[in-house]
Amino acid sequence: MKKNSFENILYSVGGVVILLIIIIAFNALTATVKQRFDFTKEKAYTLSAGTKAILAHLDTPVKIRFYYSSGDNESPDTIFFKTYAQHVSDLLQEYKQAGHGKIIVEQYDPKPDSDAEDSARLDGVEGQPLPTGEKLYLGLSVSQVDTKEAIPFLDPSRERLLEYDLSRAITRVTEPQKPIVGVMSPLPIFGKPANPMLVQMGQGGQGEPAWVFISELKSDFDVREIEMTTAKIDNDVKVLVVVDPKDISDTAQYAIDQFVLRGGKLIAFLDAVSIVDSRSQSMMGQMPGQGSSLDKLLKAWGIQFETSKVVADMNFKVKTMGPNNQPVDAPTFLALDTSGINTNDVATSEIHDIWYAMGGVFTGTPVAGLNETVLLKTTKDSQLVDGMMASFSSDNIMRDFKPSGTEYALALRLTGKFKTAFPDGQPKDKDSTNAAPAGNSLKESTDSPVVVLFGDADMMADQFCLRQQQTFLGTEVIPANGNLILAQNLVDQLGGDVNLITVRSRAAMDRPFTRIKALQAKAEEASQSKIKAFEATLQDAQEKINEMQKSKGEGQQKFILSPEQQVELEKLKKNEAEVNVQLKQEKKNLTREINALENTIKWSNIIAMPALVAISGIGLAIFKRKRTSAK
Amino acid sequence: MNSWANIKAIAKRELVAYFDSPVAYVFIVIFLLLTGFFTFMLGGFFEQGQATLHSFFMWHPWLYLFLVPAAGMRLWSEERRLGTMELLLTMPITPWQAIIGKFLASWLFLAIALVLTFPVIITVNYLGAPDNGVILTSYIGSFLLAGGYLAISCMTSAMTRNQVVSFIISVVLCFLLILVGYPPVTNFLYQVMGFKQSLVETVAAFSVMTHFESLQRGVLDSRDIIFFLSVIIFSLFTTGVIIRSHRAG
């Protein structure tokens, strides 16, 4: 009886309600201990350890306002943004998940003249004009209490850096003060003040402005000049940039050593042959500067850097002006493309070209405990050559070139556990009277230091990273390559939250129809070759007409085309028309080919399988009927 | 006989019954035609120019909305109309085994229909390099969604002996489950009605749409799977309660 009444309750409306409550509670409970498996190829929904650490450290909620105009009428222009906006939105959800309530995500659709649009403007998110005249908003703002950081436009071409950009914006609002960047160099990279005496005497002495590298850093960071003879680097310096540390003293190396060991971030531009340095000493003739290194430190880290050898690379060589103004190959002046740039690292992933002028290479394996990431490298078609030789002539190098088969590291990053290069404490310099502080020097890294080494210092000089461009507004200086951006990225990355360094660059999720793309590329190539061929005939005809013009006799009219010329011109016009028709035809053919492919795929997808099912169903029915009727 | 064998026997009987009648073929043909048509004609598969199956899966909640109740409406109402339910329940099986068996048979039938859409996977792999992990979880999501709808249809089918009534109630219920998480609706609630975001999100968590879309991204989340299984268990339990009340009454 008792059992029956229990069952009666269980199998009644009451039971249903109870089960509903249990199920909702179970869902809520299991939601807190959720398990997730990322099946995407690029692990798109798995945040980097760095981002997770940044989010875990949040104590005050951070609000992310994401603006995207979803637009009602989709055009091919906007559909691309729509997919990307979805990715952004998905990634923001991941942040929210990982933020455990400390990340608040709000999504707005800024329609024209709506509150959301005002809010977007107030947040510094800018609308991008579309061809249709509408405005597309795709940006976000990150805010915490009263600090705010905006990403005005989330450029889909920066998709790989999306996580980095987001995490950086979060760290910027949580730690609003600018990091202090120390710069150490014997070169006049902070500029030289004018010397009025020398100017008056007509012996030069005009001041020199600071390198653009430095002025750019100053706009984003608190830049502090550090003497080459320093014995200690201030504790508040977060990033230290060393440029061409020629003849650096052991004391200064010790200062850098201690800086690194306390968790400092070092970016050092060493050099094999310093072109910039040689020019600043032009009075002494065109002798190139000697190399520079941080020999003591590199030795402790297990890295070798030969200051007498520069690297030549046949794939990256550029052409320079020779003595008689003819272009000559310069195999030690490298213009790296993406085959020499680490495209998986946040600092380098968006950089497509780097100039590297007479620089050295890093060899050797880092000591145990240190991890090395190569940021820039040569191709296998490279060779180390004597620096002195290379600065005189490149002909010999070209002539005697033997590829080494090694991909030399041009820039690398070291992370991990650093050990001191000065186990006996501060070295006693001859010229330094300071007594070494006894025994309180660091022996091993405590925090997480990062060291980035470049084998070339000239790459940061104005003449190697900037180009002057004449515009109607006058001379404008623009970046000639990715050198400045790379340095900016590095300082930015290292100066920010330490966890930013481990935020990886994400894979782009653009998945084009490669087959259709290939068809288009093939057709493009075909029409390009046709255009080229036509241009050649055009030139020929032009020459012919000119020739005829020249050979006109005295009595002939110079300004009226002779019948031959007219015939030639007619021929040319006809030819042009023909080529145009052909090109148009080819375009038509391509469209037709693509349409045919699409249609075949479309209809076979829609029809084939249903037809197959229908036929097999009918066949089976007939078969069964026959069998039953036979009985 | 153990209960699993009973469930299997029922499921087998049901599944064979499906394919013995033209219903199964008609259903599959319509399902495949519609998915193909929606994907390539309305989904903008080629216009997007992306090797994903998004334009294929985005229609599933809407297609299932009508097709799954159509497949599930006869599960119990047919038995009741023909009076074979009494017969079925006098057999040496419990109502639970019958419910689960019938449900599994129909779910398997829907799975077969879903599997027959495989040419579309071949198509995207031919055209480009899609993320097959995403496609896998999307299929899992679609399968679970079909299961959720089917369980609801099962429940409404037990409520009435009229198939049409069962169909309509089940469509309405499933539609509600879509709507509470359908972005235009949640956006409306949030932006126009001024509901709190947390409230809107709580409501949206009850929607099949939220969980289906989550699986579409390529992430297998325990919450999404538990949600769909919860819908199935709850609906099947309610089916059991309804059938029991009929028998008692």
Side-chain angles (χ1 to χ4, degrees):
Chain A
M1 251 341 258
K2 217 173 181 188
K3 194 183 169 220
N4 252 349
S5 69
F6 171 72
E7 272 192 5
N8 279 340
I9 293 174
L10 184 65
Y11 298 124
S12 66
V13 179
V16 172
V17 172
I18 291 167
L19 182 73
L20 186 65
I21 292 169
I22 291 174
I23 280 183
I24 291 174
F26 181 71
N27 271 277
L29 209 69
T30 48
T32 56
V33 287
K34 59 176 191 291
Q35 290 293 318
R36 292 154 65 84
F37 302 97
D38 192 343
F39 276 79
T40 52
K41 210 184 266 171
E42 302 93 358
K43 296 280 163 278
Y45 298 102
T46 309
L47 296 177
S48 315
T51 298
K52 282 186 186 152
I54 289 166
L55 297 178
H57 288 147
L58 293 177
D59 40 16
T60 319
V62 170
K63 192 180 263 183
I64 301 177
R65 278 197 278 262
F66 175 47
Y67 297 93
Y68 167 61
S69 359
S70 56
D72 301 320
N73 35 357
E74 276 165 12
S75 64
D77 308 304
T78 56
I79 201 139
F80 174 62
F81 288 112
K82 189 181 178 184
T83 326
Y84 185 59
Q86 190 57 48
H87 286 325
V88 177
S89 173
D90 289 345
L91 192 66
L92 287 176
Q93 289 307 316
E94 291 305 308
Y95 271 74
K96 194 176 158 190
Q97 300 255 353
H100 296 290
K102 289 287 190 288
I103 295 279
I104 301 161
V105 178
E106 288 176 1
Q107 197 157 343
Y108 295 93
D109 181 1
K111 294 243 177 341
D113 303 318
S114 64
D115 290 349
E117 194 182 27
D118 291 340
S119 166
R121 280 204 204 112
L122 222 58
D123 272 347
V125 172
E126 290 154 18
Q128 306 291 314
L130 287 176
T132 53
E134 289 168 63
K135 269 192 169 171
L136 175 94
Y137 285 87
L138 178 57
L140 53 84
S141 86
V142 180
S143 60
Q144 186 186 47
V145 198
D146 50 359
T147 49
K148 197 186 274 177
E149 178 84 20
I151 303 181
F153 180 61
L154 291 156
D155 190 344
S157 67
R158 275 181 76 84
E159 178 174 14
R160 291 164 54 86
L161 293 178
L162 180 60
E163 185 183 345
Y164 176 75
D165 287 346
L166 284 173
S167 299
R168 185 177 65 161
I170 291 173
T171 57
R172 285 216 172 158
V173 297
T174 49
E175 289 170 37
Q177 71 270 43
K178 286 182 179 179
I180 296 172
V181 177
V183 179
M184 212 171 156
S185 176
L187 300 176
I189 65 175
F190 280 91
K192 263 197 295 208
N195 184 337
M197 287 285 279
L198 287 179
V199 175
Q200 269 183 2
M201 288 157 66
Q203 295 198 354
Q206 287 92 346
E208 265 178 48
W211 287 14
V212 171
F213 169 49
I214 296 297
S215 49
E216 283 289 305
L217 281 186
K218 276 184 176 161
S219 65
D220 278 336
F221 309 97
D222 203 344
V223 178
R224 186 179 298 173
E225 194 171 355
I226 294 175
E227 293 293 320
M228 277 302 284
T229 51
T230 188
K232 181 167 181 359
I233 286 151
D234 296 339
N235 280 333
D236 54 354
V237 173
K238 204 158 184 194
V239 183
L240 178 65
V241 180
V242 177
V243 183
D244 200 12
K246 191 188 293 177
D247 305 327
I248 187 168
S249 68
D250 283 359
T251 315
Q253 286 202 55
Y254 170 77
I256 297 175
D257 178 71
Q258 293 297 303
F259 166 78
V260 169
L261 294 187
R262 71 165 159 81
K265 314 286 184 276
L266 171 70
I267 304 171
F269 294 91
L270 314 178
D271 213 339
V273 169
S274 170
I275 303 160
V276 184
D277 199 17
S278 71
R279 292 201 183 163
S280 63
Q281 297 171 352
S282 56
M283 305 276 271
M284 328 258 285
Q286 283 287 337
M287 278 296 286
Q290 298 292 312
S292 56
S293 180
L294 297 168
D295 52 334
K296 292 265 159 49
L297 302 178
L298 291 192
K299 202 172 149 205
W301 302 334
I303 303 289
Q304 276 117 46
F305 181 72
E306 232 176 301
T307 50
S308 59
K309 293 265 165 68
V310 299
V311 67
D313 190 310
M314 286 300 136
N315 292 318
F316 295 147
K317 66 174 193 287
V318 296
K319 283 197 190 302
T320 53
M321 279 299 165
N324 305 320
N325 268 351
Q326 84 282 26
V328 289
D329 281 324
T332 54
F333 285 78
L334 311 184
L336 274 66
D337 60 28
T338 44
S339 58
I341 300 172
N342 182 343
T343 49
N344 292 319
D345 197 89
V346 163
T348 43
S349 70
E350 288 298 299
I351 295 188
H352 310 296
D353 54 342
I354 290 287
W355 286 4
Y356 198 82
M358 297 193 127
V361 301
F362 296 97
T363 50
T365 38
V367 293
L370 289 183
N371 306 316
E372 178 193 69
T373 314
V374 173
L375 298 177
L376 304 175
K377 62 174 193 213
T378 64
T379 59
K380 287 190 169 143
D381 214 0
S382 59
Q383 190 191 8
L384 290 181
V385 295
D386 188 73
M388 274 298 168
M389 289 290 292
S391 49
F392 288 126
S393 153
S394 51
D395 291 348
N396 298 340
I397 301 170
M398 291 299 288
R399 208 177 318 117
D400 303 335
F401 187 82
K402 276 191 207 72
S404 63
T406 314
E407 289 182 346
Y408 289 110
L410 301 177
L412 51 87
R413 174 175 38 222
L414 296 173
T415 50
K417 201 106 192 125
F418 285 81
K419 290 210 172 65
T420 182
F422 299 90
D424 304 326
Q426 188 175 6
K428 290 185 182 66
D429 271 10
K430 293 173 286 217
D431 46 328
S432 135
T433 48
N434 295 1
N440 58 356
S441 61
L442 298 167
K443 301 281 180 242
E444 223 179 45
S445 61
T446 45
D447 212 338
S448 36
V450 180
V451 171
V452 181
L453 299 171
F454 286 86
D456 182 35
D458 302 315
M459 61 186 288
M460 288 338 300
D462 289 359
Q463 65 254 49
F464 289 103
C465 57
L466 297 172
R467 182 167 51 208
Q468 290 190 338
Q469 194 178 13
Q470 298 298 331
T471 68
F472 59 93
L473 292 170
T475 314
E476 216 178 275
V477 179
I478 55 162
N481 46 50
N483 291 14
L484 272 181
I485 304 166
L486 171 60
Q488 285 275 78
N489 280 356
L490 278 171
V491 177
D492 193 44
Q493 193 189 23
L494 299 180
D497 192 298
V498 63
N499 291 306
L500 272 183
I501 297 154
T502 52
V503 175
R504 70 202 162 90
S505 124
R506 309 179 68 81
M509 290 202 269
D510 185 34
R511 306 189 165 284
F513 287 142
T514 42
R515 198 161 291 265
I516 291 175
K517 279 257 161 81
L519 279 180
Q520 283 165 333
K522 215 173 99 192
E524 182 70 19
E525 209 173 292
S527 44
Q528 276 304 329
S529 66
K530 260 205 187 118
I531 290 170
K532 273 216 181 103
F534 172 70
E535 274 169 357
T537 56
L538 182 74
Q539 208 162 0
D540 283 352
Q542 202 80 49
E543 271 167 22
K544 226 181 220 169
I545 293 171
N546 286 347
E547 207 56 39
M548 290 170 180
Q549 183 78 3
K550 271 186 204 156
S551 59
K552 272 182 186 172
E554 269 299 302
Q556 282 174 298
Q557 281 278 5
K558 279 276 180 195
F559 299 105
I560 295 174
L561 293 173
S562 65
E564 294 89 6
Q565 277 177 320
Q566 256 168 5
V567 168
E568 204 56 45
L569 206 61
E570 277 305 312
K571 241 172 64 195
L572 187 66
K573 270 187 189 157
K574 223 168 147 189
N575 195 350
E576 186 181 9
E578 247 169 54
V579 171
N580 269 338
V581 169
Q582 280 175 7
L583 284 179
K584 245 182 214 159
Q585 189 57 43
E586 237 161 62
K587 216 173 209 173
K588 258 191 214 160
N589 286 347
L590 172 69
T591 321
R592 197 176 302 149
E593 201 176 341
I594 290 174
N595 279 344
L597 177 73
E598 287 185 359
N599 278 327
T600 319
I601 286 171
K602 194 186 278 180
W603 289 109
S604 55
N605 260 292
I606 297 176
I607 303 291
M609 197 40 97
L612 207 67
V613 171
I615 290 167
S616 54
I618 294 167
L620 218 63
I622 293 170
F623 173 73
K624 270 188 192 155
R625 177 166 294 178
K626 264 196 183 153
R627 208 173 52 172
T628 42
S629 64
K631 271 182 191 171
Chain B
M1 263 222 277
N2 61 36
S3 51
W4 180 238
N6 285 343
I7 291 173
K8 246 169 59 181
I10 295 267
K12 204 172 161 195
R13 187 196 78 141
E14 279 290 318
L15 200 61
V16 168
Y18 264 119
F19 284 97
D20 267 348
S21 72
V23 175
Y25 300 98
V26 171
F27 179 91
I28 292 177
V29 166
I30 290 177
F31 173 72
L32 294 177
L33 274 177
L34 285 181
T35 48
F37 182 78
F38 277 108
T39 307
F40 291 96
M41 300 303 222
L42 302 177
F45 178 80
F46 286 109
E47 287 75 6
Q48 283 186 6
Q50 290 281 312
T52 66
L53 283 185
H54 182 71
S55 55
F56 168 70
F57 285 109
M58 67 188 272
W59 301 104
H60 284 203
W62 305 100
L63 281 175
Y64 286 157
L65 181 60
F66 294 97
L67 291 177
V68 174
M73 64 186 183
R74 47 165 284 283
L75 276 181
W76 290 101
S77 44
E78 180 94 334
E79 301 266 4
R80 280 183 65 188
R81 194 172 61 86
L82 298 175
T84 49
M85 186 143 92
E86 301 306 319
L87 189 67
L88 180 70
L89 296 178
T90 52
M91 284 200 267
I93 54 167
T94 64
W96 289 117
Q97 290 162 359
I99 291 167
I100 294 172
K102 269 170 170 285
F103 172 75
L104 286 183
S106 307
W107 203 9
L108 199 62
F109 167 68
L110 292 176
I112 292 170
L114 189 58
V115 165
L116 287 176
T117 60
F118 70 88
V120 80
I121 305 178
I122 299 172
T123 302
V124 279
N125 275 291
Y126 169 79
L127 282 172
D131 191 337
N132 286 315
V134 173
I135 293 177
L136 175 73
T137 61
S138 299
Y139 264 105
I140 293 172
S142 179
F143 177 61
L144 287 171
L145 177 72
Y149 280 4
L150 184 67
I152 291 169
S153 305
C154 217
M155 179 174 77
T156 59
S157 166
M159 283 177 192
T160 163
R161 57 185 76 217
N162 187 329
Q163 291 192 11
V164 177
V165 175
S166 154
F167 174 81
I168 291 171
I169 297 175
S170 136
V171 168
V172 169
L173 284 180
C174 295
F175 187 54
L176 282 178
L177 279 185
I178 290 184
L179 274 194
V180 289
Y182 188 48
V185 176
T186 50
N187 282 349
F188 175 78
L189 290 179
Y190 177 50
Q191 281 169 1
V192 181
M193 305 293 284
F195 282 17
K196 272 184 112 175
Q197 187 158 19
S198 55
L199 180 71
V200 175
E201 273 172 21
T202 314
V203 174
F206 286 93
S207 169
V208 289
M209 208 65 174
T210 318
H211 297 280
F212 178 69
E213 298 231 311
S214 160
L215 284 166
Q216 289 241 320
R217 298 178 310 155
V219 182
L220 211 53
D221 191 319
S222 62
R223 286 169 301 176
D224 301 326
I225 296 165
I226 288 172
F227 169 80
F228 282 115
L229 294 181
S230 301
V231 171
I232 292 170
I233 290 169
F234 174 76
S235 303
L236 291 185
F237 177 81
T238 313
T239 312
V241 171
I242 295 167
I243 286 173
R244 211 184 123 88
S245 73
H246 286 317
R247 208 161 54 146

Coordinates of all heavy atoms in Angstrom, one line a residue, chain A residues 472-508:
Chain A
F472 N 52.3 66.5 -51.3 CA 52.0 67.9 -51.6 C 52.1 68.8 -50.3 O 52.1 70.0 -50.4 CB 50.7 68.1 -52.3 CG 49.5 67.6 -51.5 CD1 48.8 68.4 -50.7 CD2 49.2 66.2 -51.6 CE1 47.7 67.9 -50.0 CE2 48.1 65.8 -50.9 CZ 47.4 66.6 -50.1
L473 N 52.2 68.1 -49.2 CA 52.3 68.8 -47.9 C 53.8 69.0 -47.5 O 54.1 69.5 -46.5 CB 51.6 68.1 -46.8 CG 50.1 68.0 -46.9 CD1 49.5 67.1 -45.9 CD2 49.5 69.4 -46.7
G474 N 54.7 68.5 -48.4 CA 56.1 68.6 -48.1 C 56.6 67.2 -47.8 O 56.0 66.2 -48.2
T475 N 57.8 67.1 -47.2 CA 58.4 65.8 -47.0 C 57.8 65.1 -45.8 O 57.6 65.7 -44.7 CB 59.9 66.0 -46.7 OG1 60.4 66.9 -47.6 CG2 60.6 64.7 -46.8
E476 N 57.4 63.9 -46.0 CA 56.8 63.1 -44.9 C 57.6 61.9 -44.6 O 58.2 61.3 -45.5 CB 55.4 62.7 -45.3 CG 54.4 62.7 -44.3 CD 53.0 62.3 -44.8 OE1 52.3 63.2 -45.4 OE2 52.7 61.1 -44.7
V477 N 57.8 61.6 -43.3 CA 58.6 60.4 -43.0 C 57.6 59.3 -42.7 O 56.7 59.4 -41.9 CB 59.5 60.8 -41.8 CG1 60.3 59.6 -41.4 CG2 60.4 61.9 -42.1
I478 N 57.8 58.2 -43.4 CA 57.0 57.0 -43.1 C 57.8 55.8 -42.8 O 59.0 55.8 -43.2 CB 56.0 56.8 -44.3 CG1 56.9 56.6 -45.6 CG2 55.0 57.8 -44.5 CD1 56.1 55.9 -46.7
P479 N 57.3 54.9 -42.1 CA 58.1 53.7 -41.8 C 58.4 52.9 -43.2 O 57.5 52.8 -44.0 CB 57.2 52.8 -41.0 CG 56.1 53.7 -40.5 CD 56.0 54.8 -41.4
A480 N 59.6 52.6 -43.3 CA 60.0 51.9 -44.6 C 59.8 50.4 -44.5 O 59.8 49.7 -45.4 CB 61.5 52.2 -44.9
N481 N 59.7 49.9 -43.2 CA 59.6 48.5 -43.0 C 59.0 48.2 -41.7 O 58.5 49.1 -41.0 CB 61.0 47.8 -43.2 CG 62.0 48.6 -42.4 OD1 61.8 49.0 -41.2 ND2 63.1 49.0 -43.0
G482 N 59.1 47.0 -41.2 CA 58.4 46.6 -39.9 C 59.4 46.8 -38.7 O 59.0 46.5 -37.6
N483 N 60.6 47.4 -38.9 CA 61.5 47.4 -37.8 C 61.0 48.2 -36.6 O 61.1 47.7 -35.5 CB 62.8 48.1 -38.3 CG 63.6 47.3 -39.3 OD1 63.1 46.3 -39.8 ND2 64.8 47.7 -39.5
L484 N 60.4 49.4 -36.9 CA 60.0 50.2 -35.7 C 58.8 49.5 -35.0 O 58.7 49.4 -33.8 CB 59.5 51.5 -36.2 CG 60.6 52.6 -36.3 CD1 59.9 53.9 -36.8 CD2 61.2 52.8 -35.0
I485 N 57.9 48.9 -35.8 CA 56.7 48.3 -35.3 C 57.1 47.1 -34.4 O 56.6 46.9 -33.3 CB 55.7 47.8 -36.4 CG1 55.4 49.0 -37.2 CG2 54.5 47.2 -35.8 CD1 54.7 48.7 -38.5
L486 N 58.1 46.4 -34.9 CA 58.6 45.2 -34.1 C 59.2 45.7 -32.8 O 58.8 45.1 -31.7 CB 59.7 44.5 -34.9 CG 60.5 43.4 -34.2 CD1 59.5 42.3 -33.7 CD2 61.5 42.7 -35.1
A487 N 60.0 46.7 -32.8 CA 60.5 47.2 -31.5 C 59.4 47.7 -30.6 O 59.4 47.4 -29.4 CB 61.6 48.3 -31.8
Q488 N 58.5 48.4 -31.2 CA 57.4 48.9 -30.4 C 56.6 47.8 -29.8 O 56.3 47.8 -28.6 CB 56.4 49.7 -31.3 CG 56.9 51.0 -31.7 CD 56.5 52.1 -30.7 OE1 57.2 52.1 -29.6 NE2 55.5 52.8 -30.9
N489 N 56.3 46.8 -30.6 CA 55.6 45.6 -30.1 C 56.3 44.9 -29.0 O 55.6 44.6 -28.0 CB 55.5 44.5 -31.2 CG 54.4 44.8 -32.2 OD1 53.7 45.8 -32.1 ND2 54.3 44.0 -33.3
L490 N 57.6 44.8 -29.1 CA 58.3 44.1 -28.1 C 58.3 44.9 -26.8 O 58.0 44.3 -25.7 CB 59.8 43.9 -28.5 CG 60.0 42.7 -29.4 CD1 61.4 42.8 -30.0 CD2 59.8 41.4 -28.7
V491 N 58.6 46.2 -26.9 CA 58.6 47.0 -25.6 C 57.2 47.0 -25.0 O 57.0 46.8 -23.8 CB 59.0 48.4 -25.9 CG1 58.9 49.3 -24.7 CG2 60.4 48.5 -26.5
D492 N 56.2 47.1 -25.9 CA 54.8 47.1 -25.4 C 54.5 45.8 -24.7 O 53.9 45.7 -23.6 CB 53.9 47.2 -26.7 CG 52.5 47.5 -26.3 OD1 52.3 48.4 -25.4 OD2 51.6 46.9 -26.9
Q493 N 54.9 44.7 -25.3 CA 54.6 43.4 -24.8 C 55.3 43.2 -23.5 O 54.7 42.7 -22.5 CB 55.0 42.3 -25.8 CG 54.5 40.9 -25.5 CD 55.2 39.9 -26.5 OE1 56.3 40.2 -27.0 NE2 54.6 38.8 -26.6
L494 N 56.6 43.5 -23.4 CA 57.4 43.3 -22.3 C 57.1 44.3 -21.2 O 57.2 44.0 -20.0 CB 58.9 43.4 -22.6 CG 59.3 42.3 -23.6 CD1 60.8 42.4 -23.9 CD2 59.0 40.9 -23.2
G495 N 56.6 45.5 -21.6 CA 56.3 46.5 -20.6 C 55.0 46.3 -19.9 O 54.7 46.8 -18.8
G496 N 54.1 45.6 -20.5 CA 52.8 45.3 -19.9 C 52.9 44.2 -18.9 O 53.9 43.8 -18.4
D497 N 51.7 43.7 -18.7 CA 51.6 42.6 -17.7 C 52.4 41.4 -18.1 O 52.5 41.1 -19.3 CB 50.1 42.2 -17.7 CG 49.8 41.3 -16.5 OD1 50.4 40.2 -16.4 OD2 49.0 41.6 -15.7
V498 N 53.1 40.8 -17.2 CA 54.0 39.7 -17.5 C 53.3 38.6 -18.2 O 53.9 37.9 -19.1 CB 54.8 39.3 -16.3 CG1 53.8 38.7 -15.2 CG2 55.8 38.2 -16.6
N499 N 52.0 38.4 -17.9 CA 51.3 37.3 -18.6 C 51.0 37.6 -20.0 O 50.7 36.7 -20.8 CB 50.0 37.1 -17.8 CG 50.2 36.6 -16.4 OD1 50.8 35.6 -16.3 ND2 49.7 37.3 -15.4
L500 N 51.1 38.9 -20.4 CA 50.9 39.2 -21.9 C 51.8 38.4 -22.8 O 51.6 38.1 -23.9 CB 51.0 40.7 -22.1 CG 49.7 41.5 -21.9 CD1 50.1 42.9 -22.2 CD2 48.6 41.0 -22.7
I501 N 53.0 38.2 -22.2 CA 54.1 37.6 -23.0 C 53.7 36.2 -23.5 O 54.0 35.7 -24.6 CB 55.4 37.6 -22.3 CG1 55.8 39.0 -22.0 CG2 56.5 36.8 -23.0 CD1 56.7 39.2 -20.8
T502 N 52.9 35.5 -22.7 CA 52.5 34.1 -23.0 C 51.2 34.1 -23.8 O 50.8 33.0 -24.1 CB 52.5 33.2 -21.8 OG1 51.6 33.9 -20.8 CG2 53.8 33.0 -21.2
V503 N 50.6 35.2 -24.0 CA 49.4 35.2 -24.8 C 49.9 34.9 -26.3 O 50.6 35.7 -26.8 CB 48.6 36.5 -24.8 CG1 47.5 36.5 -25.7 CG2 48.1 36.7 -23.3
R504 N 49.4 33.9 -26.8 CA 49.9 33.5 -28.1 C 49.1 34.2 -29.2 O 48.0 34.7 -29.0 CB 49.8 32.0 -28.3 CG 48.4 31.5 -28.5 CD 48.2 30.1 -28.1 NE 46.8 29.8 -27.9 CZ 46.0 29.5 -28.8 NH1 46.4 29.3 -30.0 NH2 44.7 29.3 -28.5
S505 N 49.7 34.2 -30.4 CA 49.0 34.7 -31.5 C 48.1 33.6 -32.0 O 48.5 32.5 -32.1 CB 50.0 35.2 -32.5 OG 49.8 34.5 -33.8
R506 N 46.9 34.0 -32.3 CA 45.9 33.0 -32.6 C 45.9 32.7 -34.1 O 46.4 33.5 -34.9 CB 44.5 33.4 -32.2 CG 44.4 33.9 -30.9 CD 43.0 34.4 -30.6 NE 42.1 33.3 -30.6 CZ 41.9 32.5 -29.5 NH1 42.6 32.6 -28.5 NH2 41.1 31.5 -29.6
A507 N 45.4 31.6 -34.5 CA 45.3 31.3 -35.9 C 44.2 32.0 -36.5 O 43.1 32.2 -35.8 CB 45.1 29.8 -36.1
A508 N 44.3 32.5 -37.7 CA 43.2 33.1 -38.4 C 42.2 32.1 -38.7 O 42.5 31.0 -39.0 CB 43.7 33.8 -39.6

